């Protein structure tokens, strides 16, 4: 009786949880409802976790004697894992968001792989379908785990240069083949009952070791600039692994949540790759960012430095200004200063808007988050497609710490590494001011001809310092007028 | 009455197909401005794996199973708690400009 009641409750609560996950994600599709979306999904999660303690009433006879220990272990693991993650997640800086997502995603992949491990060590997966699904889920989960950890280390700049060696792709393929071979051998042994060359636990460990190694080798050669796409792929992969293990455990909530995330992550990955004008396979298997051959045409014009105060006053008396923020803004932690400056302009009657490139920042949409953190209302922030035609009639574009995303070479220069990437048409506005630390190049390592155009002036210096000077200049004007 | 679920191969494929389609459609409508919180939010959602971890750990009957099950729950709980914390923080920052009408992007005469 108690068993059936538990099963009924678990089934009902998991059904509600699966609904709340999808409803929560749906609410995240608009900035107005997004905050409540994560809350809705959170309720589903808490309910599902609490309900899973009802599994205590349905455990297999073999596990009965260990139930108390297992319950204790479960509570310990929940409090330890949840507590540390919660604490870190609450205090980490907003600029560190991409690596945090990588880290938490890796944990999810590791958990999926560990579930598969329990099934394999306990010999619970029977039947050819369940075995194959367990092993595939284990492989994807383990690759996502070790790969995400490497991605985290790269974004955290623990690992700096991309690591490449001769025959790398052949090595990776060989390791993957080994993993698949060991997996196939495990299935063969379990189905035929033949005597294995190694004991079953050893075989399982070998399988996981190969899978983890593959995740590391796959991620090592990829440069830091491409990490967001890699994290997105691993996010989708973890979702898939969770969905597959959900099938093994006969839990539809895991299947639905995992597969929803798998599909969503795949779509997000494709959107990101398209924004960078690169294919996903190109990101995973090419050596972007090491040696970029410089075959640039002649650049006409010269770099014309301007004083921060002059630029500020020009914007103060402009009718319309579009701000193009890049990662340099975030690196200088100048978002709040920028918004203070923009508030001065808007209160003087200037029409100011923000134009955000899909790959501004280190993760698509990260710049939006950083601007929102500074207090910029989301209806002042415009995406590439919505604002690109408006540059033409705009008086001033203010480019801050962005380079490749406003490089007009992407439109014209076929030999350029960024050719074809959609860019913000800052060069089409009547005047352009570029705040830049120095004369260096962007991520892609190429010179930006926009900076040499007649209508472009460079304001050199740290973004926070320059914006401070700009604010001073405008305040000075107001005081002089009063 | 028996409420234990039995999902065989084809039923699983139906569930996977519909869930994948739902995920694709739900995310397809999300504006680029929310892509980072959304990646983090979907990262939180696959934290449901912790439920699978709990099931595996409670049914563990040998020491290796207990150890691996413990790590499954530990990692899954980390995924859930961290994913919720960072997503919630990011989404709490998105505010409309309505309380401050001067900041609204309307063309205004030159000052």
């Amino acid at each position: 009786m108690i068993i059936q009641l538990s099963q009924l409750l678990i089934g009902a609560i998991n059904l509600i949880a699966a609904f709340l996950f999808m409803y929560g994600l749906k609410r995240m599709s608009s900035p107005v409802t997004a905050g409540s979306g994560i809350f809705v999904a959170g309720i589903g999660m808490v309910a599902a976790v609490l309900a899973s303690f009802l599994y205590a009433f349905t455990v297999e006879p073999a596990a009965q004697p260990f139930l108390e220990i297992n319950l204790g272990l479960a509570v310990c693991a929940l409090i330890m894992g949840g507590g540390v993650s919660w604490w870190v997640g609450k205090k980490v800086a907003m600029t560190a968001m991409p690596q945090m997502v990588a880290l938490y995603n890796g944990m999810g992949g590791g958990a999926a792989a560990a579930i598969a491990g329990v099934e394999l060590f306990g010999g619970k997966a029977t039947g050819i379908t369940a075995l194959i699904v367990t092993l595939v889920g284990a492989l994807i989960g383990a690759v996502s785990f070790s790969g995400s950890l490497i991605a985290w280390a790269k974004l955290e700049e623990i690992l700096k240069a991309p690591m490449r060696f001769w025959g790398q792709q052949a090595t990776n393929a060989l390791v993957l083949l080994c993993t698949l071979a060991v997996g196939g051998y495990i299935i063969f042994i379990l189905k035929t009952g033949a005597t294995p060359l190694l004991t079953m636990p050893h075989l399982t460990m070998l399988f996981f070791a190969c899978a983890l190694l593959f995740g590391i080798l796959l991620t090592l050669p990829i440069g830091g600039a491409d990490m967001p796409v890699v994290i997105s792929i691993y996010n989708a992969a973890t979702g898939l692994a969770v969905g597959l293990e959900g099938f093994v455990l006969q839990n539809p909530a895991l299947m639905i949540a995992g597969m929803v995330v798998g599909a969503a992550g795949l779509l997000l990955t494709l959107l990101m790759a398209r924004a960078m004008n690169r294919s996903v396979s190109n990101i995973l298997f090419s050596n972007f960012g090491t040696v970029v051959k410089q075959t640039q045409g002649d650049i006409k014009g010269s770099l014309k430095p301007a004083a921060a105060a002059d630029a500020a006053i020009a914007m103060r008396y402009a009718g319309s200004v579009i701000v193009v923020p890049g990662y340099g803004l975030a690196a200088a932690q100048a978002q709040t200063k920028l918004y203070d400056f923009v508030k001065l302009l808007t209160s003087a009657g200037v029409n100011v808007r923000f134009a955000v490139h899909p790959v501004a920042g280190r993760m698509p949409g990260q710049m939006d988050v950083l601007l929102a953190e500074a207090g910029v209302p989301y209806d002042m922030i415009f995406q590439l497609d919505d604002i690109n035609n408006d540059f033409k009639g705009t008086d001033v574009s203010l480019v801050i710490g962005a380079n490749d995303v406003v490089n007009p070479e992407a439109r014209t220069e076929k030999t350029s590494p960024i050719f074809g990437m959609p860019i913000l048409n800052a060069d089409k506005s009547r005047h352009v001011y570029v705040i830049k630390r120095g004369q260096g190049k962007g991520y892609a390592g190429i010179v930006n001809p926009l900076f040499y155009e007649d209508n472009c002036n460079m304001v050199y210096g740290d973004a926070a310092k320059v914006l401070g000077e700009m604010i001073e200049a405008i305040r000075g004007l107001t005081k002089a007028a009063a | 009455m028996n409420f234990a679920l039995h999902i065989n191969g084809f039923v699983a494929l139906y569930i996977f197909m519909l869930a994948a389609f739902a995920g694709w459609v739900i995310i397809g409508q999300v504006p680029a401005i929310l892509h980072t919180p959304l990646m983090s939010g979907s990262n939180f959602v696959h934290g449901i794996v912790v439920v699978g971890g709990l099931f595996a750990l409670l049914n563990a009957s040998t020491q290796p199973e207990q150890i691996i099950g413990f790590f499954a729950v530990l990692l899954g709980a980390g995924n859930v708690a961290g994913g919720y914390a960072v997503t919630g923080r990011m989404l709490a920052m998105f505010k409309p400009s309505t309380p401050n009408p001067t900041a609204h992007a309307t063309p205004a005469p030159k000052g």
Side-chain angles (χ1 to χ4, degrees):
Chain A
M1 186 59 204
I2 187 85
I3 295 178
Q4 281 153 7
L5 192 65
S6 303
Q7 284 170 342
L8 177 66
L9 273 173
I10 292 170
I13 293 172
N14 279 353
L15 181 66
I16 295 169
F19 167 76
L20 290 177
F21 291 152
M22 288 199 280
Y23 181 60
L25 279 174
K26 180 80 190 79
R27 284 188 78 82
M28 283 190 219
S29 65
S30 154
V32 185
T33 54
S36 64
I38 182 70
F39 184 67
V40 165
I43 292 173
M45 191 66 76
V46 171
V49 170
L50 290 179
S52 56
F53 277 95
L54 291 171
Y55 285 132
F57 295 112
T58 67
V59 292
E60 294 154 20
Q64 276 295 352
F66 305 96
L67 189 56
E68 280 167 27
I69 302 171
N70 287 349
L71 276 171
L73 284 174
V75 173
C76 276
L78 278 178
I79 293 172
M80 279 165 60
V84 172
S85 271
W86 181 266
W87 181 70
V88 175
K90 279 286 175 193
K91 75 182 238 314
V92 72
M94 273 297 145
T95 39
M97 256 336 125
Q99 50 266 52
M100 290 324 287
V101 175
L103 194 59
Y104 297 140
N105 179 55
M107 289 179 172
I115 291 171
V118 174
E119 297 295 308
L120 290 169
F121 271 96
K124 284 168 188 159
T126 47
I128 190 94
T129 319
L131 262 178
I132 293 175
V133 173
T134 308
L135 286 167
V136 172
L139 170 63
I140 299 172
V143 168
S144 176
F145 175 67
S146 59
S148 294
L149 289 186
I150 298 292
W152 168 79
K154 281 185 178 249
L155 286 170
E156 198 68 38
E157 291 179 0
I158 297 168
L159 289 174
K160 293 225 172 76
M163 275 171 226
R164 301 191 177 111
F165 50 85
W166 184 83
Q168 192 155 24
Q169 293 192 9
T171 313
N172 291 1
L174 196 68
V175 173
L176 179 62
L177 275 177
C178 279
T179 321
L180 293 176
V182 176
Y185 189 62
I186 289 175
I187 295 172
F188 172 75
I189 297 295
L190 286 178
K191 288 321 284 180
T192 60
T195 322
L197 295 169
L198 293 161
T199 60
M200 208 57 208
H202 283 123
L203 270 180
T204 312
M205 280 193 259
L206 183 64
F207 175 78
F208 278 106
C210 287
L212 291 170
L213 181 64
F214 180 65
I216 294 170
L217 288 176
L218 189 66
T219 323
L220 273 179
I222 304 171
D226 286 333
M227 273 309 136
V229 181
V230 173
I231 296 170
S232 184
I233 292 171
Y234 286 142
N235 187 35
T238 302
L240 189 62
V242 171
L244 293 176
E245 297 309 328
F247 169 69
V248 177
L249 299 178
Q250 296 279 298
N251 185 327
L254 259 74
M255 293 170 72
I256 292 173
M259 203 47 74
V260 164
V261 173
L266 180 65
L267 179 58
L268 263 181
T269 310
L270 294 176
L271 288 174
M272 279 183 214
R274 194 186 304 157
M276 299 166 83
N277 192 41
R278 304 183 52 208
S279 72
V280 174
S281 68
N282 179 258
I283 288 166
L284 280 180
F285 303 116
S286 82
N287 295 352
F288 182 80
T290 39
V291 194
V292 177
K293 289 225 172 67
Q294 187 75 21
T295 50
Q296 215 154 16
D298 292 337
I299 290 177
K300 283 171 253 150
S302 59
L303 292 167
K304 295 165 291 294
D310 296 344
I313 289 162
M315 279 183 269
R316 162 69 180 74
Y317 289 106
S320 53
V321 171
I322 296 180
V323 181
V324 180
Y327 192 72
L329 176 75
Q333 293 288 330
Q335 304 94 292
T336 319
K337 276 235 168 71
L338 172 63
Y339 187 46
D340 287 343
F341 175 63
V342 166
K343 276 190 281 194
L344 283 175
L345 293 181
T346 49
S347 62
V350 185
N351 173 17
V352 185
R353 288 176 291 174
F354 290 85
V356 175
H357 191 274
V359 295
R362 283 181 157 184
M363 201 155 128
Q366 195 195 4
M367 190 49 66
D368 304 276
V369 174
L370 294 171
L371 290 176
E373 185 188 21
V376 179
Y378 57 75
D379 40 21
M380 277 178 89
I381 304 172
F382 293 81
Q383 306 301 319
L384 185 128
D385 291 337
D386 302 323
I387 202 168
N388 231 359
N389 292 329
D390 294 2
F391 277 102
K392 220 170 185 169
T394 298
D395 293 329
V396 178
S397 291
L398 177 64
V399 178
I400 306 175
N403 189 343
D404 297 331
V405 298
V406 291
N407 191 337
E409 255 194 2
R411 285 197 294 257
T412 53
E413 199 67 44
K414 285 211 171 66
T415 54
S416 171
I418 59 164
F419 177 71
M421 180 171 92
I423 58 150
L424 287 162
N425 297 330
D427 56 322
K428 299 257 169 92
S429 55
R430 285 184 202 107
H431 205 98
V432 185
Y433 286 104
V434 180
I435 302 180
K436 217 167 163 298
R437 280 173 72 91
Q439 300 192 0
K441 296 163 183 175
Y443 250 142
I446 47 175
V447 174
N448 191 339
L450 164 69
F451 301 163
Y452 296 83
E453 292 281 339
D454 289 337
N455 65 342
C456 180
N457 284 99
M458 309 295 290
V459 184
Y460 289 115
D462 176 74
K465 196 174 143 280
V466 169
L467 285 165
E469 286 168 22
M470 288 183 163
I471 292 169
E472 283 306 305
I474 295 203
R475 290 216 173 113
L477 267 185
T478 328
K479 272 188 205 132
Chain B
M1 286 247 270
N2 183 8
F3 295 106
L5 282 161
H6 291 289
I7 305 165
N8 65 26
F10 260 112
V11 179
L13 286 177
Y14 281 116
I15 294 177
F16 282 150
M17 179 193 73
L18 290 171
F21 192 72
W24 188 273
V25 171
I26 290 169
I27 275 26
Q29 294 166 352
V30 172
I33 185 169
L34 285 171
H35 274 174
T36 292
L38 188 86
M39 183 143 91
S40 179
S42 60
N43 180 35
F44 163 71
V45 167
H46 69 52
I48 185 70
V49 70
V50 71
V51 167
L54 283 167
F55 177 84
L57 176 56
L58 293 182
N59 283 296
S61 52
T62 62
Q63 211 170 33
E65 286 177 70
Q66 285 177 315
I67 295 169
I68 306 168
F70 177 80
F71 278 103
V73 178
L74 187 78
L75 291 169
N79 185 178
V80 168
Y84 190 90
V86 297
T87 312
R89 274 180 65 194
M90 278 192 258
L91 289 175
M93 288 168 187
F94 285 93
K95 289 184 257 340
S97 64
T98 29
N100 178 11
T102 52
H104 208 272
T106 43
K110 287 188 185 191

